[in-house]
């Protein structure tokens, strides 16, 4: 992730964190369906929808809330699907050896994540609580070799991820949810199980 042309689509919490994390070593460009979401000082990094195809981006970092089937640049994203990554991918590439405990499922993700975080913290571990719970993972600082990340992951985040791998993956439960986005329960389940499929023989899964 150095000397790359990167498009950041969606400038909410995660998009802002991605931009600040990547801007030192890359050429970062911003796009958002609503230009009003972009603070004034970032306006120079904003790209016009008509100019998107004129730049050969290496990566497109997609905000989890964006549905590529129902957004302003849907056809562009479908053509460039292979370039789409997430903030979880950026973190995994940047910190491949950091211990991650990733929790997903339909219900209980936040509660389980918070409980695990509190248990580890009580045992004097350098632990961070991040992800879908509301704390962008790329905003974390002073990361050490023994830092442990407890990550709450939604189906939206996992669906677009390509390189993310977790040492410990937890799937709590699965019920039909977010079908307006995933289309079928099978697609929803497959998005969740990406955290298992990406693991190797030295990793652990709890279902």
């Amino acid at each position: 992730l150095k000397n790359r042309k990167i498009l950041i689509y969606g400038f909410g919490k995660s998009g802002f964190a991605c931009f600040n994390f990547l801007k030192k070593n890359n050429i970062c460009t911003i796009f958002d369906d609503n230009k009003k979401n972009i603070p004034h000082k970032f306006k120079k990094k904003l790209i016009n929808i008509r100019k998107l195809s004129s730049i050969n981006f290496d990566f497109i970092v997609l905000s989890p809330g964006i549905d590529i089937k129902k957004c302003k640049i849907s056809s562009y994203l479908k053509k460039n699907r292979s370039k789409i990554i997430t903030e979880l991918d950026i973190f995994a590439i940047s910190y491949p050896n950091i211990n991650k405990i990733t929790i997903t499922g339909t219900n209980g993700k936040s509660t389980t994540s918070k409980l695990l975080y509190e248990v580890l913290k009580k045992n004097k571990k350098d632990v961070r609580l991040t992800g879908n719970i509301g704390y962008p993972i790329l905003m974390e600082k002073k990361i050490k070799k023994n830092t442990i990340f407890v990550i709450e992951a939604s189906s939206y985040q996992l669906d677009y991820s390509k390189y993310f791998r977790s040492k410990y993956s937890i799937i709590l439960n699965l019920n039909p949810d977010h079908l307006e986005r995933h289309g079928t329960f099978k697609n929803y389940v497959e998005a969740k199980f990406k955290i298992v499929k990406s693991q190797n023989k030295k990793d652990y899964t709890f279902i």
Side-chain angles (χ1 to χ4, degrees), residues 1 44 49 57 70 88 122-123 157 168 193 196 203:
L1 289 173
K44 289 181 180 178
I49 194 169
F57 290 105
K70 299 175 183 177
L88 293 180
K122 184 103 175 171
N123 283 274
Q157 289 170 310
Y168 304 93
F193 266 84
V196 178
D203 298 330

Side-chain angles (χ1 to χ4, degrees), residues 18 62 79 82 84 88 94 122 127 140 153 166 190 192:
C18 288
L62 209 57
K79 286 178 187 175
S82 63
I84 293 174
L88 293 180
S94 304
K122 184 103 175 171
V127 58
E140 291 296 323
S166 185
E190 285 180 355
K192 295 286 191 181

Side-chain angles (χ1 to χ4, degrees), residues 148-162:
I148 300 169
F149 275 77
V150 175
I151 305 163
E152 181 191 326
S154 70
S155 60
Y156 294 174
Q157 289 170 310
L158 295 170
D159 195 25
Y160 293 137
S161 67
K162 285 186 175 70

